[in-house]
Amino acid sequence: MAQRQRIRPTQQRAVAMRRTLLDAALHLLEERGAERLTTTAIVERAHVSTGTFYRYFNDKAEIISALRDEAVAAVDRDLRDAVVRALDLDLDDAVREIVTTLVDGFERHGPVVLAMVDAQPGGSNANVLPEIERDLFQLAAVIPRRHLPDVPPDRLEALVFMTMGVVVATALRIALFRPPGADRAALVDVATSMLVAGLRS
């Protein structure tokens, strides 16, 4: 039996309650991770009844999905701003701007992104953020097109397609899976060099 889709509230008090539940879930994800997140823990953290929770969400998967949507939208907004900043930079600095923006976004939304990674059979090797990769392909493709005008369009399209997927995966690894003691800035530099070399290949 399909679950009933909850209606997003529009009244200020209901919007505030939904936010309270989302924030409680987010704090618990930070403290415990997705596997140990329960609706009971969420209602206890939010100081509300179980019935209140179920007025807004069907289950913990739905609340994680709502947090995922918020994280994707926030990273997308940051990415759009980064592309605008990168337009007047040379290719190396433009790529570094995109990589740094994605790393920042994945770190800022780390608990939610990790919950998405944990939910995928392929874990960190799965494409957990296809929307980000799709939007990156559409937005950031303007940068190599601007810097590599002599590359034939079909070749450039292939380069951009491959590079943008690598950008997302690399930024995710730097943000959430880098080895203890690894220097974040140095990893961003390595990723930038690899990606620029790929685009110029």
Side-chain angles (χ1 to χ4, degrees):
M1 183 172 155
Q3 289 185 331
R4 180 168 61 99
Q5 180 69 35
R6 302 290 184 202
I7 297 171
R8 289 190 68 142
T10 56
Q11 293 181 338
Q12 187 174 355
R13 196 172 78 174
V15 169
M17 178 52 67
R18 185 175 190 276
R19 181 77 260 155
T20 296
L21 291 165
L22 287 167
D23 289 344
L26 183 56
H27 287 113
L28 289 165
L29 281 175
E30 290 170 352
E31 292 171 8
R32 304 177 182 187
E35 284 185 12
R36 294 179 52 212
L37 180 70
T38 64
T39 55
T40 301
I42 294 168
V43 300
E44 287 174 0
R45 174 60 66 97
H47 306 291
V48 299
S49 70
T50 303
T52 298
F53 176 90
Y54 287 112
R55 277 200 293 275
Y56 295 91
F57 300 100
N58 286 306
D59 51 26
K60 80 171 192 174
E62 189 175 344
I63 203 167
I64 290 174
S65 178
L67 289 168
R68 178 192 192 284
D69 291 346
E70 289 184 352
V72 167
V75 171
D76 235 10
R77 283 191 302 272
D78 292 345
L79 189 56
R80 289 175 193 279
D81 292 343
V83 169
V84 171
R85 290 190 303 271
L87 286 176
D88 294 324
L89 301 175
D90 66 31
L91 184 58
D92 289 65
D93 289 339
V95 170
R96 182 176 288 103
E97 181 69 29
I98 300 302
V99 172
T100 301
T101 297
L102 283 172
V103 172
D104 290 345
F106 293 157
E107 286 177 343
R108 195 167 37 261
H109 302 283
V112 176
V113 176
L114 284 172
M116 291 184 271
V117 169
D118 290 344
Q120 295 292 324
S124 62
N125 294 319
N127 186 355
V128 294
L129 296 161
E131 308 96 313
I132 298 291
E133 186 176 326
R134 181 195 64 232
D135 293 345
L136 182 64
F137 179 78
Q138 292 170 352
L139 287 167
V142 70
I143 295 167
R145 287 186 186 116
R146 176 175 278 198
H147 289 283
L148 304 168
D150 297 332
V151 177
D154 57 336
R155 170 75 175 157
L156 188 61
E157 198 76 9
L159 285 171
V160 171
F161 172 74
M162 292 304 295
T163 304
M164 295 309 156
V166 173
V167 170
V168 174
T170 302
L172 186 64
R173 289 176 62 83
I174 294 170
L176 302 177
F177 301 105
R178 65 179 175 264
D183 182 73
R184 179 187 191 266
L187 292 175
V188 168
D189 286 343
V190 169
T192 299
S193 297
M194 289 170 51
L195 292 163
V196 169
L199 284 169
R200 287 188 169 136
S201 65

